[in-house]
Amino acid sequence: MAPDKEKETPCVGYRHGPPWVFKGSALYQLHLVKASTARAFVPRDLRLVEAFGYTLGGMFLARYHDSPAGAFDELVVIAGIVWDPPTSCAWAARVLVNSVEACRHGRKEVGLPSHVATFSKAEASALGSKPLVKSNGFLSVLGIGSTVPEQENRREIEISETKGSSTKHLCNISMPLTGSHNKHHKWMGPAIRMSLPSFSGQTEDHPDLLKYSCKVECRVRPVSPARIWNPRITEPQECSDGKINSAGPKVLADSDAQSQSISVLLSKPIFALEFSSLRMHVDAPKIVVPHCKKKEVGYSST
């Protein structure tokens, strides 16, 4: 009997990569982020891509059913887009995972600001409650579609960072709950391949600037953005500027970085893509020299 392709050797461990392979589903959501907020995370050597005081940030929220660390959830808070010719890349402000192994790998091997977190999922009835915004869409793996009545049940994800025995509530994400049998959600979009280059590094574990590539194969479709709110707000609501803190110092303390990452999440969502049947290959990062430093080296050698 031929082997089942869906059951090919799971959880082989990070030691067998790169490339490290992740399979699951995800939401890639783009926000308009204040440039002043994004600059608090981006190294001075990199130029932020901005217009009219804003850059393009957002989040990548995924649930992997198979990865080198097994099944786990991940939230990548994207501060903005930076430019280092000839390419532009995303810069992660914070990475939250509910896997100690994935957190360690992100910090030690990829130079990411990774933290361990809990992802608590709950269903809440919307009957009799005030509609919050228009219909929403999210991960099919969580049983969520893109067009549902406002009075249907909803699913909420509560994300909290954990450090030792302490836990700090970071944010809530809300989306409609639908059944997988719903005929409105059978179309998962076209199959595509793309590359999502990112910068990382300049952390305690990796002082150098790093660059790595995520090669993605998936089915993709546009959906309405998920709604995000922070614990101080009693109801989910749109927040155009994330009034948490003003832009902090260039080197943020961890508590400041956490607050600023909430500000990124609360910024104005403009577009969202649902990735299903996701297969993502992550290459090992390489040390890079920022374009401005390349120029400096060139001038000093003449």
Side-chain angles (χ1 to χ4, degrees):
M1 181 181 293
D4 186 347
K5 292 184 178 180
E6 293 300 318
K7 297 181 180 179
E8 52 183 309
T9 315
C11 192
V12 295
Y14 288 109
R15 66 186 183 279
H16 293 282
W20 299 288
V21 180
F22 301 79
K23 304 174 190 176
S25 296
L27 175 75
Y28 187 45
Q29 185 159 304
L30 303 179
H31 292 202
L32 285 176
V33 179
K34 278 190 173 181
S36 58
T37 299
R39 284 197 199 99
F41 296 101
V42 176
R44 293 184 179 91
D45 297 334
L46 295 176
R47 181 165 66 86
L48 187 69
V49 178
E50 60 176 293
F52 306 106
Y54 289 87
T55 186
L56 199 60
M59 70 172 186
F60 182 83
L61 178 59
R63 188 173 194 185
Y64 305 113
H65 61 75
D66 186 21
S67 81
F72 71 93
D73 299 300
E74 177 180 52
L75 172 64
V76 181
V77 182
I78 304 169
I81 303 297
V82 294
W83 176 247
D84 188 49
T87 62
S88 60
C89 298
W91 185 272
R94 207 168 189 84
V95 178
L96 302 168
V97 292
N98 55 358
S99 164
V100 173
E101 184 181 2
C103 179
R104 187 211 64 81
H105 174 80
R107 282 180 171 270
K108 302 295 184 181
E109 303 298 329
V110 191
L112 290 170
S114 297
H115 299 266
V116 176
T118 59
F119 290 67
S120 303
K121 303 173 183 69
E123 296 178 18
S125 174
L127 292 175
S129 64
K130 180 181 178 181
L132 301 173
V133 294
K134 294 182 180 180
S135 59
N136 195 350
F138 192 53
L139 307 177
S140 61
V141 72
L142 297 179
I144 296 162
S146 59
T147 54
V148 294
E150 290 179 339
Q151 295 301 309
E152 284 197 13
N153 289 348
R154 307 186 66 82
R155 173 162 288 167
E156 294 180 3
I157 300 178
E158 179 179 299
I159 302 175
S160 301
E161 284 193 31
T162 59
K163 189 173 184 180
S165 59
S166 64
T167 300
K168 184 173 182 179
H169 189 176
L170 183 72
C171 70
N172 285 50
I173 301 174
S174 176
M175 69 287 291
L177 174 66
T178 62
S180 58
H181 62 278
N182 193 318
K183 63 183 180 180
H184 294 293
H185 309 292
K186 287 184 177 179
W187 184 76
M188 301 309 297
I192 67 167
R193 293 183 180 183
M194 63 180 176
S195 179
L196 300 174
S198 298
F199 283 124
S200 61
Q202 297 208 347
T203 63
E204 183 178 349
D205 293 300
H206 278 282
D208 292 312
L209 179 65
L210 305 176
K211 183 179 180 181
Y212 65 98
S213 177
C214 300
K215 297 180 177 64
V216 174
E217 299 176 24
C218 64
R219 300 187 71 88
V220 61
R221 65 171 181 168
V223 294
S224 297
R227 298 193 300 280
I228 306 167
W229 73 104
N230 97 355
R232 302 177 186 176
I233 302 173
T234 57
E235 290 185 342
Q237 57 182 277
E238 298 291 345
C239 181
S240 60
D241 54 9
K243 298 177 180 178
I244 303 298
N245 288 324
S246 59
K250 288 298 180 181
V251 179
L252 293 175
D254 188 63
S255 59
D256 294 329
Q258 185 185 67
S259 295
Q260 292 287 15
S261 66
I262 295 174
S263 184
V264 172
L265 290 171
L266 292 179
S267 57
K268 181 68 175 179
I270 57 173
F271 190 67
L273 294 174
E274 178 187 272
F275 294 169
S276 59
S277 302
L278 171 68
R279 185 182 179 95
M280 183 169 65
H281 294 245
V282 180
D283 294 326
K286 298 179 180 179
I287 297 175
V288 296
V289 178
H291 187 66
C292 63
K293 285 194 175 182
K294 292 177 186 177
K295 286 184 176 181
E296 290 173 5
V297 171
Y299 293 150
S300 63
S301 63
T302 57

